[in-house]
Amino acid sequence: IVRLWTAMRNYKEDARFGPEIEQRLIEAYRKIRNTWRFLLGNVSDYEPGRDAVAAANLLDLDRWILHRFEEVRARVVKAYLDYEFYPVLHDVLDFFTVELSAFYLDVVKDRAYCSAKGSLERRSAQTAMFIILRDSLLLMAPILSFTADEAWTHVPAFPGKDDFVHLGEFPKAQDWLGTLGAGFVEDMEKLLGVREKVLKELEKAREAKLIGNALEAAVTLKAPAADAGFLAARKDDLAALFIVSAVSVETAAGDDLVIEVAKAPGGKCERCWNFSTHVGTSPDYPAFCARCEKVVKAARP
């Protein structure tokens, strides 16, 4: 905690310390440590040499979070080189809190927990989580030296892995966008903007007692023709992005996006908790949705 406090200090200003500052430091440390623990748990069966998904084959959300992390990595490395250590923690903590924990990890939990063990959906998410875990440990090792070294011993073995995190070098720059360029980022930002609007409508539905958990919801997006085409092309990913059970897209005459929330049809899958009309129809697995039935059947001899 003292090392954390030292790193957070802007040496151009007076250094202050007290109970409130100490409590904020403890919360910051716990956020980083618990995020590393979560990432370690999710890559426990991941072998980089066997399971890594090539950059060109990553799912869009995994590519996007790696691109955002690359921006953080570049700023952090520059801060170290400039001997301005206080931006390091702020950049990493903001990324861990806002984009990683509150958004990305929340969205991909369904994929990581419920998809087939060796599926592209799961391995793509694990690839992103592994890279963020490995590289953030290297970046934070000079500050959280003991915690980073302890976590490093549990990171899956990969070619060139050093015995101790402090023997490793800072991660190098990597282009996750490839030929997709800035257009990919613009599309993702547009989707995230829609997600924010959907979350507000889901909260209203909760307050109205229409739904409890967001997975009880089915969302209908009514959009102008151009936006409807954009959303329809990505329809298969929207339910996971919004963390709801179903999403439909319709073309509307107006100029604004209209979002309607209703109770999701069907029953609750006991495995993934999504609502599906497939629940109750299978003679072998009546409590499962179609995806979970397929995954469980494939996993059993």
Side-chain angles (χ1 to χ4, degrees):
I1 298 300
V2 174
R3 293 178 68 92
L4 205 58
W5 173 78
T6 306
M8 285 184 68
R9 293 302 90 209
N10 183 347
Y11 53 78
K12 298 175 185 177
E13 302 174 356
D14 292 340
R16 297 178 175 84
F17 190 80
E20 291 184 7
I21 293 175
E22 182 184 22
Q23 188 58 40
R24 288 201 297 270
L25 289 166
I26 290 171
E27 291 171 1
Y29 172 74
R30 283 176 177 164
K31 167 56 67 176
I32 295 173
R33 183 177 184 272
N34 289 341
T35 302
W36 280 338
R37 286 183 64 188
F38 184 87
L39 293 171
L40 281 168
N42 275 277
V43 299
S44 59
D45 69 329
Y46 176 83
E47 294 183 20
R50 179 195 66 190
D51 303 322
V53 175
N57 298 327
L58 288 169
L59 272 62
D60 285 351
L61 190 60
D62 305 323
R63 184 192 306 277
W64 179 83
I65 197 66
L66 286 171
H67 169 70
R68 293 291 297 117
F69 181 65
E70 168 56 27
E71 294 176 338
V72 173
R73 183 212 63 82
R75 291 196 299 269
V76 167
V77 171
K78 183 179 185 303
Y80 275 122
L81 294 175
D82 292 340
Y83 293 95
E84 294 186 348
F85 304 120
Y86 56 91
V88 172
L89 179 65
H90 292 295
D91 271 324
V92 172
L93 186 59
D94 284 350
F95 176 76
F96 272 29
T97 302
V98 178
E99 287 159 310
L100 203 57
S101 296
F103 169 56
Y104 175 75
L105 295 178
D106 196 30
V107 170
V108 300
K109 277 191 294 187
D110 179 75
R111 249 201 290 150
Y113 296 167
C114 299
S115 297
K117 184 176 180 180
S119 65
L120 172 64
E121 292 81 6
R122 185 165 183 267
R123 294 308 189 194
S124 178
Q126 285 184 308
T127 298
M129 288 190 278
F130 168 76
I131 291 170
I132 292 171
L133 169 66
R134 180 195 65 193
D135 291 359
S136 62
L137 285 171
L138 290 167
L139 290 172
M140 291 300 293
I143 298 174
L144 296 179
S145 53
F146 300 105
T147 304
D149 203 37
E150 180 185 4
W152 187 258
T153 63
H154 301 285
V155 172
F158 59 90
K161 181 185 178 184
D162 294 295
D163 292 338
F164 302 98
V165 69
H166 305 293
L167 297 178
E169 297 181 352
F170 285 152
K172 306 299 182 185
Q174 187 162 348
D175 178 17
W176 295 105
L177 301 183
T179 58
L180 298 174
F184 171 81
V185 178
E186 292 173 2
D187 287 349
M188 287 300 300
E189 294 295 339
K190 186 174 180 179
L191 282 176
L192 295 181
V194 173
R195 181 178 186 269
E196 288 301 314
K197 294 178 181 179
V198 169
L199 294 182
K200 290 179 181 178
E201 295 303 317
L202 290 173
E203 187 58 35
K204 291 178 184 178
R206 270 194 212 93
E207 292 174 356
K209 308 297 183 183
L210 177 63
I211 61 171
N213 188 289
L215 288 176
E216 296 178 16
V219 172
T220 301
L221 303 175
K222 297 182 178 181
D227 291 337
F230 171 82
L231 293 169
R234 297 158 178 80
K235 181 177 175 296
D236 292 344
D237 300 325
L238 295 181
L241 184 65
F242 303 156
I243 316 182
V244 297
S245 287
V247 175
S248 59
V249 179
E250 299 177 6
T251 302
D255 296 327
D256 298 323
L257 175 67
V258 176
I259 301 168
E260 296 180 353
V261 178
K263 288 279 288 186
K268 181 180 179 180
C269 174
E270 288 187 354
R271 184 171 180 270
C272 70
W273 295 8
N274 281 270
F275 282 72
S276 168
T277 54
H278 183 82
V279 174
T281 64
S282 170
D284 297 323
Y285 299 95
F288 289 172
C289 65
R291 176 190 62 169
C292 288
E293 179 184 8
K294 181 179 179 182
V295 169
V296 172
K297 277 185 176 180
R300 292 184 173 177

